[in-house]
Amino acid sequence: MERGEWSIHMEDGNKSIPCFLIFCKEKMDLVSAKSVVIEWVVGSTADIKGKIGPVWEIVKGFFVVPVLRFALYICLVLSFLLFVEWVHMMFLAALAKIFRKRPGKRYKWESMKDDLENACVDFPMVLVQIPIYNEIEVYKISIGAACNLSWPADRFVVQVLDDSTDLVIKDKIEKECMKWANEGINIRYQIRATRVGYKAGALKEGLKHDYVKECEYVAIFDADFQPEPDFLRRAIPFLIHNPEIGLVQARWRFVNADECFLTRMQEMSLDYQFVIEQEGGSSIHSFFSFNGSGGIWRISAIDGAGGWNDRTTVEDMDLAVRAGLKGWKFVFVGDIEVKSELPSTFKAFRSQQHRWSCGPANLFRKMVTEIAKNKEVSIWTKFYIIYHFFFIRKIVGTMFTFFFYCMVLPLVSLMPEVDIPKWGAIVATFIIATINTIVATPRSIHLAVPWVLFENIMSFHKMKALFVGLFEAKRANEWVVTEKLGDALKNKSNEEPTTPKEPRRHNRFRERILVQELIIAVFLFACGCYGIFYGPDHYYIYLFPQAIFFAIAGFGLFGTILPSC
């Protein structure tokens, strides 16, 4: 047999057949079988398309497109209402600045005089409440700031309302109070048997003590708030000289605004609330929501409104609405600033936003009838509270953003039959966002576009919380104290590094994964890809960045990531 030739021995007849002939025959059979399969698949696919295609066109024409077009019309109407509200609030804020409707111009204000002989007259008795719950990293901040207030030591009481469940933390807080008491500060350490009513329950219980009867006003600071020493001297005169004022609210400033991207986004949102919404509402309507901290109440206003109520997770807003319906006026003083801390982990921020979105919706459900039937305020005030304060800002503003930018707009990019006016889809939104940033937080003007994308992500969480509150679902009264880090990261970095166990690191990574956000990211990315190849418009310019932001959120990469050891 020559080289290169192979043969096999056949049992029947002892004949030798070249192996390459057999190989060629098998190859031809394989190709033939594959051709049959491909032809069958292609033919079947064509048949399926031929059957499903017309059905889909009918369904799309008679159902999908009309429903999507109807949803688009609703979104455009809501967008118009929000635009009108934005113009309204900007107009009020502009009036306040142009016509100098500053609190000091609209209300009587005189500086406090250090006259020892008339101290009882010039310096009223003030209660300073500090509610605390297991906040070990920051409790010293607020206690120290409150005890250093520039006010006669015998004319104010610092009341620490400790609801902590950790005995070690309770012991530390009590020792901190004892330290200040030894320095001559009138400080009271108060605890409760149960944590009924959460923060509202603690504040309500704190007002029941006998020594509070001597106090006319109460200043409230959360555990991470740091009032300046002259806080009382600048705020109290509004209450002393204007008996119709029930609340003086100071502006918040943030000690960790530059910590990470997450805190910068929060600063932009809250600055808009202070500079536009609260200053405008205060200057024209004399009504806005109490922020829960950094403010001073007239105790008679609290009592006249029915006291603290724990029926929702926004006890501060609940009290403000009831006091407003009793005719009390509120003053926002942007020149008085109180330092505080922003939540710097994404988990803590989401919990806070759930409470801030669910609570107002739940309160609106419970109070709308009471507000409408109220006879102590004007129809205009009731309309402002129901429509502007609750319906537009708390309901429509929360629901519209996600519904339009993360659902309707991506679906429209798949349906060329439905057209969105470009000015209403993207242009107007980014112009408004830029103007808001210039007015409220000028230093963050370069973050206007990322701010819109980030707010669209948070609108998903807010919308879920909104429906929980409106329908009073299971988590409607869930109260989770916002985590504060204080110097936790700095202290952590000074500790000796240890090698964490692999399972623990893996579990921490899994805890950060948010499946719903990742699903939305995939959906937006798919719509963007479709738009590149088939879409008549260029919505993918927005869809791809939004998908990236949702993916970042889905992997829990926004905010400070705490070390695992």
Side-chain angles (χ1 to χ4, degrees), residues 107-110 112 124-126 151 216-219 231-249 295-301 328-331 333:
Y107 297 101
K108 183 179 179 181
W109 187 93
E110 294 180 4
M112 308 296 296
M125 197 70 179
V126 179
W151 199 259
E216 297 180 52
Y217 312 108
V218 54
F231 176 85
L232 294 179
R233 288 177 176 266
R234 299 179 64 187
I236 289 292
F238 286 104
L239 295 163
I240 293 177
H241 301 294
N242 304 277
E244 72 276 16
I245 294 178
L247 166 67
V248 177
Q249 174 69 60
I296 304 179
W297 277 94
R298 190 185 299 272
I299 294 181
S300 60
W328 289 100
K329 293 183 178 181
F330 304 156
V331 179
V333 188

mmCIF file of all heavy atoms in Angstrom, residues 107-110 112 124-126 151 216-219 231-249 295-301 328-331 333:
data_model
loop_
_atom_site.group_PDB
_atom_site.id
_atom_site.type_symbol
_atom_site.label_atom_id
_atom_site.label_comp_id
_atom_site.label_asym_id
_atom_site.label_seq_id
_atom_site.Cartn_x
_atom_site.Cartn_y
_atom_site.Cartn_z
ATOM 1 N N TYR A 107 -41.490 91.043 58.628
ATOM 2 C CA TYR A 107 -41.877 90.888 60.035
ATOM 3 C C TYR A 107 -40.958 91.731 60.920
ATOM 4 O O TYR A 107 -39.820 92.046 60.553
ATOM 5 C CB TYR A 107 -41.796 89.419 60.460
ATOM 6 C CG TYR A 107 -42.736 88.512 59.708
ATOM 7 C CD1 TYR A 107 -42.274 87.720 58.666
ATOM 8 C CD2 TYR A 107 -44.084 88.448 60.043
ATOM 9 C CE1 TYR A 107 -43.128 86.878 57.969
ATOM 10 C CE2 TYR A 107 -44.953 87.615 59.357
ATOM 11 C CZ TYR A 107 -44.468 86.828 58.323
ATOM 12 O OH TYR A 107 -45.326 86.003 57.628
ATOM 13 N N LYS A 108 -41.468 92.052 62.080
ATOM 14 C CA LYS A 108 -40.668 92.832 63.023
ATOM 15 C C LYS A 108 -39.568 91.953 63.595
ATOM 16 O O LYS A 108 -39.798 90.786 63.948
ATOM 17 C CB LYS A 108 -41.562 93.359 64.147
ATOM 18 C CG LYS A 108 -40.834 94.252 65.147
ATOM 19 C CD LYS A 108 -41.776 94.768 66.225
ATOM 20 C CE LYS A 108 -41.024 95.638 67.221
ATOM 21 N NZ LYS A 108 -41.897 96.146 68.299
ATOM 22 N N TRP A 109 -38.376 92.517 63.686
ATOM 23 C CA TRP A 109 -37.232 91.779 64.230
ATOM 24 C C TRP A 109 -36.297 92.742 64.931
ATOM 25 O O TRP A 109 -35.913 93.774 64.372
ATOM 26 C CB TRP A 109 -36.485 91.057 63.114
ATOM 27 C CG TRP A 109 -35.399 90.140 63.612
ATOM 28 C CD1 TRP A 109 -35.515 88.809 63.874
ATOM 29 C CD2 TRP A 109 -34.041 90.484 63.907
ATOM 30 N NE1 TRP A 109 -34.315 88.293 64.313
ATOM 31 C CE2 TRP A 109 -33.395 89.307 64.346
ATOM 32 C CE3 TRP A 109 -33.313 91.670 63.852
ATOM 33 C CZ2 TRP A 109 -32.063 89.281 64.712
ATOM 34 C CZ3 TRP A 109 -31.972 91.654 64.227
ATOM 35 C CH2 TRP A 109 -31.361 90.471 64.657
ATOM 36 N N GLU A 110 -35.966 92.429 66.161
ATOM 37 C CA GLU A 110 -35.014 93.227 66.922
ATOM 38 C C GLU A 110 -34.018 92.295 67.593
ATOM 39 O O GLU A 110 -34.381 91.226 68.080
ATOM 40 C CB GLU A 110 -35.724 94.067 68.006
ATOM 41 C CG GLU A 110 -36.637 95.136 67.444
ATOM 42 C CD GLU A 110 -37.310 95.941 68.550
ATOM 43 O OE1 GLU A 110 -36.980 95.689 69.735
ATOM 44 O OE2 GLU A 110 -38.139 96.806 68.230
ATOM 45 N N MET A 112 -31.434 90.606 70.208
ATOM 46 C CA MET A 112 -31.532 90.346 71.642
ATOM 47 C C MET A 112 -30.472 91.158 72.392
ATOM 48 O O MET A 112 -29.327 91.253 71.950
ATOM 49 C CB MET A 112 -31.332 88.850 71.925
ATOM 50 C CG MET A 112 -32.230 87.933 71.111
ATOM 51 S SD MET A 112 -33.987 88.140 71.476
ATOM 52 C CE MET A 112 -34.046 87.621 73.176
ATOM 53 N N PRO A 124 -36.625 84.675 76.611
ATOM 54 C CA PRO A 124 -37.658 83.723 77.051
ATOM 55 C C PRO A 124 -37.070 82.341 77.258
ATOM 56 O O PRO A 124 -35.982 82.007 76.760
ATOM 57 C CB PRO A 124 -38.660 83.740 75.898
ATOM 58 C CG PRO A 124 -37.848 84.131 74.704
ATOM 59 C CD PRO A 124 -36.815 85.092 75.204
ATOM 60 N N MET A 125 -37.785 81.517 77.969
ATOM 61 C CA MET A 125 -37.342 80.144 78.238
ATOM 62 C C MET A 125 -37.528 79.299 76.979
ATOM 63 O O MET A 125 -38.604 79.279 76.372
ATOM 64 C CB MET A 125 -38.155 79.560 79.394
ATOM 65 C CG MET A 125 -37.543 78.348 80.029
ATOM 66 S SD MET A 125 -36.053 78.782 80.958
ATOM 67 C CE MET A 125 -35.596 77.169 81.589
ATOM 68 N N VAL A 126 -36.471 78.611 76.590
ATOM 69 C CA VAL A 126 -36.479 77.818 75.354
ATOM 70 C C VAL A 126 -36.118 76.374 75.675
ATOM 71 O O VAL A 126 -35.178 76.108 76.447
ATOM 72 C CB VAL A 126 -35.481 78.390 74.324
ATOM 73 C CG1 VAL A 126 -35.493 77.541 73.048
ATOM 74 C CG2 VAL A 126 -35.815 79.834 74.002
ATOM 75 N N TRP A 151 -26.936 81.643 74.717
ATOM 76 C CA TRP A 151 -28.204 81.970 75.359
ATOM 77 C C TRP A 151 -27.987 81.813 76.860
ATOM 78 O O TRP A 151 -27.231 80.926 77.276
ATOM 79 C CB TRP A 151 -29.290 81.001 74.873
ATOM 80 C CG TRP A 151 -30.705 81.458 75.070
ATOM 81 C CD1 TRP A 151 -31.562 81.060 76.052
ATOM 82 C CD2 TRP A 151 -31.428 82.370 74.249
ATOM 83 N NE1 TRP A 151 -32.789 81.661 75.903
ATOM 84 C CE2 TRP A 151 -32.730 82.481 74.791
ATOM 85 C CE3 TRP A 151 -31.116 83.112 73.122
ATOM 86 C CZ2 TRP A 151 -33.704 83.310 74.239
ATOM 87 C CZ3 TRP A 151 -32.076 83.930 72.561
ATOM 88 C CH2 TRP A 151 -33.356 84.024 73.117
ATOM 89 N N GLU A 216 -41.572 78.618 76.402
ATOM 90 C CA GLU A 216 -42.488 79.172 75.399
ATOM 91 C C GLU A 216 -42.219 78.607 74.007
ATOM 92 O O GLU A 216 -43.130 78.494 73.184
ATOM 93 C CB GLU A 216 -42.354 80.694 75.353
ATOM 94 C CG GLU A 216 -42.737 81.410 76.629
ATOM 95 C CD GLU A 216 -42.571 82.908 76.482
ATOM 96 O OE1 GLU A 216 -43.118 83.472 75.504
ATOM 97 O OE2 GLU A 216 -41.895 83.517 77.332
ATOM 98 N N TYR A 217 -40.963 78.258 73.758
ATOM 99 C CA TYR A 217 -40.574 77.815 72.417
ATOM 100 C C TYR A 217 -39.765 76.530 72.511
ATOM 101 O O TYR A 217 -39.126 76.256 73.543
ATOM 102 C CB TYR A 217 -39.749 78.900 71.715
ATOM 103 C CG TYR A 217 -40.352 80.277 71.799
ATOM 104 C CD1 TYR A 217 -39.781 81.258 72.614
ATOM 105 C CD2 TYR A 217 -41.498 80.596 71.085
ATOM 106 C CE1 TYR A 217 -40.335 82.521 72.708
ATOM 107 C CE2 TYR A 217 -42.072 81.861 71.171
ATOM 108 C CZ TYR A 217 -41.487 82.819 71.990
ATOM 109 O OH TYR A 217 -42.049 84.061 72.084
ATOM 110 N N VAL A 218 -39.768 75.773 71.431
ATOM 111 C CA VAL A 218 -38.994 74.538 71.384
ATOM 112 C C VAL A 218 -38.224 74.471 70.065
ATOM 113 O O VAL A 218 -38.805 74.596 68.982
ATOM 114 C CB VAL A 218 -39.900 73.293 71.544
ATOM 115 C CG1 VAL A 218 -41.038 73.275 70.532
ATOM 116 C CG2 VAL A 218 -39.075 72.001 71.429
ATOM 117 N N ALA A 219 -36.919 74.329 70.162
ATOM 118 C CA ALA A 219 -36.059 74.151 68.995
ATOM 119 C C ALA A 219 -35.757 72.660 68.857
ATOM 120 O O ALA A 219 -35.475 71.983 69.849
ATOM 121 C CB ALA A 219 -34.768 74.946 69.165
ATOM 122 N N PHE A 231 -27.768 80.855 66.876
ATOM 123 C CA PHE A 231 -29.013 80.391 66.241
ATOM 124 C C PHE A 231 -30.246 80.947 66.956
ATOM 125 O O PHE A 231 -31.140 81.526 66.326
ATOM 126 C CB PHE A 231 -29.049 78.862 66.242
ATOM 127 C CG PHE A 231 -30.325 78.294 65.700
ATOM 128 C CD1 PHE A 231 -30.506 78.115 64.336
ATOM 129 C CD2 PHE A 231 -31.363 77.933 66.550
ATOM 130 C CE1 PHE A 231 -31.693 77.608 63.827
ATOM 131 C CE2 PHE A 231 -32.555 77.410 66.055
ATOM 132 C CZ PHE A 231 -32.717 77.251 64.690
ATOM 133 N N LEU A 232 -30.332 80.795 68.263
ATOM 134 C CA LEU A 232 -31.499 81.260 69.002
ATOM 135 C C LEU A 232 -31.617 82.775 68.967
ATOM 136 O O LEU A 232 -32.716 83.325 68.863
ATOM 137 C CB LEU A 232 -31.439 80.770 70.453
ATOM 138 C CG LEU A 232 -31.543 79.252 70.669
ATOM 139 C CD1 LEU A 232 -31.449 78.924 72.157
ATOM 140 C CD2 LEU A 232 -32.837 78.704 70.096
ATOM 141 N N ARG A 233 -30.511 83.474 69.053
ATOM 142 C CA ARG A 233 -30.537 84.929 69.057
ATOM 143 C C ARG A 233 -31.075 85.497 67.740
ATOM 144 O O ARG A 233 -31.684 86.558 67.715
ATOM 145 C CB ARG A 233 -29.130 85.483 69.312
ATOM 146 C CG ARG A 233 -28.650 85.287 70.747
ATOM 147 C CD ARG A 233 -27.224 85.791 70.918
ATOM 148 N NE ARG A 233 -26.800 85.682 72.305
ATOM 149 C CZ ARG A 233 -26.889 86.672 73.192
ATOM 150 N NH1 ARG A 233 -27.418 87.839 72.841
ATOM 151 N NH2 ARG A 233 -26.466 86.521 74.430
ATOM 152 N N ARG A 234 -30.854 84.782 66.647
ATOM 153 C CA ARG A 234 -31.305 85.265 65.336
ATOM 154 C C ARG A 234 -32.724 84.812 65.010
ATOM 155 O O ARG A 234 -33.428 85.488 64.252
ATOM 156 C CB ARG A 234 -30.340 84.786 64.247
ATOM 157 C CG ARG A 234 -28.915 85.298 64.419
ATOM 158 C CD ARG A 234 -28.006 84.770 63.339
ATOM 159 N NE ARG A 234 -28.412 85.268 62.021
ATOM 160 C CZ ARG A 234 -27.868 84.856 60.878
ATOM 161 N NH1 ARG A 234 -26.912 83.934 60.899
ATOM 162 N NH2 ARG A 234 -28.283 85.346 59.725
ATOM 163 N N ALA A 235 -33.149 83.660 65.540
ATOM 164 C CA ALA A 235 -34.452 83.107 65.180
ATOM 165 C C ALA A 235 -35.563 83.500 66.155
ATOM 166 O O ALA A 235 -36.698 83.786 65.741
ATOM 167 C CB ALA A 235 -34.360 81.580 65.088
ATOM 168 N N ILE A 236 -35.269 83.496 67.435
ATOM 169 C CA ILE A 236 -36.296 83.762 68.450
ATOM 170 C C ILE A 236 -36.985 85.119 68.295
ATOM 171 O O ILE A 236 -38.203 85.229 68.519
ATOM 172 C CB ILE A 236 -35.683 83.634 69.865
ATOM 173 C CG1 ILE A 236 -35.386 82.155 70.179
ATOM 174 C CG2 ILE A 236 -36.602 84.212 70.919
ATOM 175 C CD1 ILE A 236 -36.618 81.306 70.344
ATOM 176 N N PRO A 237 -36.261 86.213 67.894
ATOM 177 C CA PRO A 237 -36.945 87.509 67.766
ATOM 178 C C PRO A 237 -38.153 87.494 66.829
ATOM 179 O O PRO A 237 -39.099 88.261 67.047
ATOM 180 C CB PRO A 237 -35.840 88.433 67.237
ATOM 181 C CG PRO A 237 -34.592 87.863 67.800
ATOM 182 C CD PRO A 237 -34.795 86.375 67.748
ATOM 183 N N PHE A 238 -38.155 86.638 65.798
ATOM 184 C CA PHE A 238 -39.327 86.545 64.916
ATOM 185 C C PHE A 238 -40.549 86.089 65.714
ATOM 186 O O PHE A 238 -41.670 86.566 65.481
ATOM 187 C CB PHE A 238 -39.061 85.570 63.780
ATOM 188 C CG PHE A 238 -38.125 86.091 62.719
ATOM 189 C CD1 PHE A 238 -36.810 85.654 62.663
ATOM 190 C CD2 PHE A 238 -38.567 87.017 61.797
ATOM 191 C CE1 PHE A 238 -35.950 86.133 61.690
ATOM 192 C CE2 PHE A 238 -37.709 87.503 60.826
ATOM 193 C CZ PHE A 238 -36.391 87.058 60.771
ATOM 194 N N LEU A 239 -40.347 85.181 66.638
ATOM 195 C CA LEU A 239 -41.448 84.660 67.435
ATOM 196 C C LEU A 239 -41.862 85.629 68.540
ATOM 197 O O LEU A 239 -43.048 85.768 68.859
ATOM 198 C CB LEU A 239 -41.048 83.310 68.040
ATOM 199 C CG LEU A 239 -40.798 82.181 67.033
ATOM 200 C CD1 LEU A 239 -40.010 81.052 67.683
ATOM 201 C CD2 LEU A 239 -42.103 81.658 66.472
ATOM 202 N N ILE A 240 -40.888 86.309 69.103
ATOM 203 C CA ILE A 240 -41.193 87.239 70.202
ATOM 204 C C ILE A 240 -42.039 88.413 69.719
ATOM 205 O O ILE A 240 -43.040 88.779 70.347
ATOM 206 C CB ILE A 240 -39.886 87.753 70.846
ATOM 207 C CG1 ILE A 240 -39.161 86.618 71.567
ATOM 208 C CG2 ILE A 240 -40.185 88.890 71.823
ATOM 209 C CD1 ILE A 240 -37.827 87.030 72.163
ATOM 210 N N HIS A 241 -41.668 89.010 68.590
ATOM 211 C CA HIS A 241 -42.288 90.248 68.130
ATOM 212 C C HIS A 241 -43.444 90.038 67.160
ATOM 213 O O HIS A 241 -44.084 91.019 66.752
ATOM 214 C CB HIS A 241 -41.234 91.143 67.476
ATOM 215 C CG HIS A 241 -40.097 91.500 68.375
ATOM 216 N ND1 HIS A 241 -40.255 92.291 69.496
ATOM 217 C CD2 HIS A 241 -38.770 91.157 68.352
ATOM 218 C CE1 HIS A 241 -39.088 92.438 70.113
ATOM 219 N NE2 HIS A 241 -38.169 91.752 69.434
ATOM 220 N N ASN A 242 -43.706 88.794 66.771
ATOM 221 C CA ASN A 242 -44.787 88.513 65.818
ATOM 222 C C ASN A 242 -45.612 87.337 66.334
ATOM 223 O O ASN A 242 -45.308 86.169 66.036
ATOM 224 C CB ASN A 242 -44.214 88.185 64.440
ATOM 225 C CG ASN A 242 -43.309 89.281 63.900
ATOM 226 O OD1 ASN A 242 -43.765 90.264 63.325
ATOM 227 N ND2 ASN A 242 -42.005 89.118 64.102
ATOM 228 N N PRO A 243 -46.636 87.602 67.121
ATOM 229 C CA PRO A 243 -47.405 86.529 67.760
ATOM 230 C C PRO A 243 -48.158 85.627 66.785
ATOM 231 O O PRO A 243 -48.595 84.549 67.175
ATOM 232 C CB PRO A 243 -48.387 87.292 68.661
ATOM 233 C CG PRO A 243 -48.475 88.653 68.073
ATOM 234 C CD PRO A 243 -47.128 88.932 67.493
ATOM 235 N N GLU A 244 -48.289 86.031 65.508
ATOM 236 C CA GLU A 244 -48.978 85.178 64.535
ATOM 237 C C GLU A 244 -48.078 84.113 63.937
ATOM 238 O O GLU A 244 -48.541 83.189 63.258
ATOM 239 C CB GLU A 244 -49.562 86.042 63.407
ATOM 240 C CG GLU A 244 -48.557 86.629 62.425
ATOM 241 C CD GLU A 244 -47.916 87.926 62.907
ATOM 242 O OE1 GLU A 244 -48.017 88.224 64.113
ATOM 243 O OE2 GLU A 244 -47.317 88.645 62.074
ATOM 244 N N ILE A 245 -46.778 84.203 64.187
ATOM 245 C CA ILE A 245 -45.824 83.225 63.647
ATOM 246 C C ILE A 245 -45.744 82.018 64.586
ATOM 247 O O ILE A 245 -45.515 82.163 65.787
ATOM 248 C CB ILE A 245 -44.427 83.856 63.472
ATOM 249 C CG1 ILE A 245 -44.480 84.950 62.403
ATOM 250 C CG2 ILE A 245 -43.402 82.787 63.075
ATOM 251 C CD1 ILE A 245 -43.158 85.658 62.197
ATOM 252 N N GLY A 246 -45.919 80.834 64.008
ATOM 253 C CA GLY A 246 -45.847 79.612 64.800
ATOM 254 C C GLY A 246 -44.568 78.823 64.609
ATOM 255 O O GLY A 246 -44.212 78.003 65.447
ATOM 256 N N LEU A 247 -43.864 79.073 63.481
ATOM 257 C CA LEU A 247 -42.667 78.288 63.164
ATOM 258 C C LEU A 247 -41.640 79.164 62.456
ATOM 259 O O LEU A 247 -41.983 79.938 61.560
ATOM 260 C CB LEU A 247 -43.034 77.106 62.258
ATOM 261 C CG LEU A 247 -41.883 76.374 61.555
ATOM 262 C CD1 LEU A 247 -41.004 75.636 62.558
ATOM 263 C CD2 LEU A 247 -42.414 75.417 60.498
ATOM 264 N N VAL A 248 -40.386 79.036 62.862
ATOM 265 C CA VAL A 248 -39.253 79.639 62.154
ATOM 266 C C VAL A 248 -38.349 78.501 61.715
ATOM 267 O O VAL A 248 -37.842 77.743 62.547
ATOM 268 C CB VAL A 248 -38.474 80.626 63.050
ATOM 269 C CG1 VAL A 248 -37.259 81.163 62.303
ATOM 270 C CG2 VAL A 248 -39.370 81.771 63.490
ATOM 271 N N GLN A 249 -38.164 78.367 60.398
ATOM 272 C CA GLN A 249 -37.356 77.288 59.842
ATOM 273 C C GLN A 249 -36.057 77.840 59.274
ATOM 274 O O GLN A 249 -36.061 78.795 58.497
ATOM 275 C CB GLN A 249 -38.119 76.559 58.732
ATOM 276 C CG GLN A 249 -37.320 75.503 57.988
ATOM 277 C CD GLN A 249 -37.007 74.301 58.856
ATOM 278 O OE1 GLN A 249 -37.888 73.629 59.356
ATOM 279 N NE2 GLN A 249 -35.716 74.003 59.021
ATOM 280 N N GLY A 295 -35.453 73.921 63.209
ATOM 281 C CA GLY A 295 -36.524 74.911 63.301
ATOM 282 C C GLY A 295 -36.951 75.137 64.735
ATOM 283 O O GLY A 295 -36.635 74.336 65.632
ATOM 284 N N ILE A 296 -37.679 76.236 64.969
ATOM 285 C CA ILE A 296 -38.188 76.567 66.296
ATOM 286 C C ILE A 296 -39.703 76.729 66.215
ATOM 287 O O ILE A 296 -40.214 77.491 65.386
ATOM 288 C CB ILE A 296 -37.570 77.862 66.845
ATOM 289 C CG1 ILE A 296 -36.038 77.766 66.858
ATOM 290 C CG2 ILE A 296 -38.077 78.148 68.248
ATOM 291 C CD1 ILE A 296 -35.370 79.022 67.371
ATOM 292 N N TRP A 297 -40.402 76.022 67.080
ATOM 293 C CA TRP A 297 -41.860 76.105 67.158
ATOM 294 C C TRP A 297 -42.280 76.906 68.384
ATOM 295 O O TRP A 297 -41.630 76.848 69.435
ATOM 296 C CB TRP A 297 -42.472 74.713 67.281
ATOM 297 C CG TRP A 297 -42.653 73.974 65.990
ATOM 298 C CD1 TRP A 297 -41.782 73.086 65.421
ATOM 299 C CD2 TRP A 297 -43.788 74.047 65.121
ATOM 300 N NE1 TRP A 297 -42.305 72.601 64.246
ATOM 301 C CE2 TRP A 297 -43.543 73.168 64.037
ATOM 302 C CE3 TRP A 297 -44.987 74.767 65.151
ATOM 303 C CZ2 TRP A 297 -44.446 72.999 62.997
ATOM 304 C CZ3 TRP A 297 -45.884 74.592 64.113
ATOM 305 C CH2 TRP A 297 -45.613 73.729 63.052
ATOM 306 N N ARG A 298 -43.379 77.604 68.254
ATOM 307 C CA ARG A 298 -44.065 78.159 69.412
ATOM 308 C C ARG A 298 -44.853 77.001 70.017
ATOM 309 O O ARG A 298 -45.678 76.383 69.331
ATOM 310 C CB ARG A 298 -45.001 79.292 68.985
ATOM 311 C CG ARG A 298 -45.592 80.095 70.141
ATOM 312 C CD ARG A 298 -46.597 81.105 69.600
ATOM 313 N NE ARG A 298 -45.975 82.051 68.678
ATOM 314 C CZ ARG A 298 -45.405 83.192 69.034
ATOM 315 N NH1 ARG A 298 -45.384 83.531 70.323
ATOM 316 N NH2 ARG A 298 -44.871 84.000 68.141
ATOM 317 N N ILE A 299 -44.630 76.673 71.275
ATOM 318 C CA ILE A 299 -45.259 75.503 71.887
ATOM 319 C C ILE A 299 -46.776 75.613 71.868
ATOM 320 O O ILE A 299 -47.480 74.619 71.690
ATOM 321 C CB ILE A 299 -44.733 75.299 73.326
ATOM 322 C CG1 ILE A 299 -43.233 74.936 73.279
ATOM 323 C CG2 ILE A 299 -45.520 74.210 74.046
ATOM 324 C CD1 ILE A 299 -42.601 74.688 74.631
ATOM 325 N N SER A 300 -47.301 76.825 72.012
ATOM 326 C CA SER A 300 -48.754 76.996 71.959
ATOM 327 C C SER A 300 -49.299 76.645 70.575
ATOM 328 O O SER A 300 -50.448 76.198 70.443
ATOM 329 C CB SER A 300 -49.127 78.426 72.327
ATOM 330 O OG SER A 300 -48.527 79.357 71.431
ATOM 331 N N ALA A 301 -48.493 76.822 69.520
ATOM 332 C CA ALA A 301 -48.924 76.447 68.168
ATOM 333 C C ALA A 301 -49.000 74.928 68.043
ATOM 334 O O ALA A 301 -49.917 74.390 67.407
ATOM 335 C CB ALA A 301 -47.965 77.023 67.126
ATOM 336 N N TRP A 328 -51.813 79.622 61.721
ATOM 337 C CA TRP A 328 -50.453 80.023 62.090
ATOM 338 C C TRP A 328 -49.621 80.280 60.841
ATOM 339 O O TRP A 328 -49.746 79.579 59.847
ATOM 340 C CB TRP A 328 -49.783 78.938 62.940
ATOM 341 C CG TRP A 328 -50.346 78.817 64.322
ATOM 342 C CD1 TRP A 328 -51.240 77.892 64.769
ATOM 343 C CD2 TRP A 328 -50.066 79.669 65.421
ATOM 344 N NE1 TRP A 328 -51.538 78.103 66.094
ATOM 345 C CE2 TRP A 328 -50.830 79.199 66.526
ATOM 346 C CE3 TRP A 328 -49.258 80.787 65.611
ATOM 347 C CZ2 TRP A 328 -50.799 79.798 67.770
ATOM 348 C CZ3 TRP A 328 -49.224 81.392 66.864
ATOM 349 C CH2 TRP A 328 -49.984 80.898 67.926
ATOM 350 N N LYS A 329 -48.728 81.268 60.911
ATOM 351 C CA LYS A 329 -47.846 81.595 59.795
ATOM 352 C C LYS A 329 -46.459 80.991 60.039
ATOM 353 O O LYS A 329 -46.002 80.893 61.182
ATOM 354 C CB LYS A 329 -47.737 83.109 59.625
ATOM 355 C CG LYS A 329 -49.034 83.758 59.179
ATOM 356 C CD LYS A 329 -48.848 85.251 58.947
ATOM 357 C CE LYS A 329 -50.144 85.893 58.450
ATOM 358 N NZ LYS A 329 -49.980 87.350 58.200
ATOM 359 N N PHE A 330 -45.807 80.615 58.945
ATOM 360 C CA PHE A 330 -44.476 80.030 59.015
ATOM 361 C C PHE A 330 -43.488 80.952 58.297
ATOM 362 O O PHE A 330 -43.814 81.564 57.277
ATOM 363 C CB PHE A 330 -44.432 78.655 58.351
ATOM 364 C CG PHE A 330 -45.435 77.673 58.912
ATOM 365 C CD1 PHE A 330 -45.870 76.606 58.154
ATOM 366 C CD2 PHE A 330 -45.954 77.823 60.190
ATOM 367 C CE1 PHE A 330 -46.783 75.699 58.658
ATOM 368 C CE2 PHE A 330 -46.869 76.933 60.710
ATOM 369 C CZ PHE A 330 -47.289 75.862 59.935
ATOM 370 N N VAL A 331 -42.278 81.014 58.815
ATOM 371 C CA VAL A 331 -41.238 81.864 58.234
ATOM 372 C C VAL A 331 -40.003 81.019 57.947
ATOM 373 O O VAL A 331 -39.490 80.335 58.845
ATOM 374 C CB VAL A 331 -40.857 83.023 59.183
ATOM 375 C CG1 VAL A 331 -39.752 83.865 58.547
ATOM 376 C CG2 VAL A 331 -42.065 83.888 59.478
ATOM 377 N N VAL A 333 -36.173 81.328 57.047
ATOM 378 C CA VAL A 333 -35.080 82.305 57.103
ATOM 379 C C VAL A 333 -33.830 81.655 56.507
ATOM 380 O O VAL A 333 -33.119 80.911 57.184
ATOM 381 C CB VAL A 333 -34.815 82.773 58.549
ATOM 382 C CG1 VAL A 333 -33.810 83.925 58.542
ATOM 383 C CG2 VAL A 333 -36.110 83.211 59.223
#
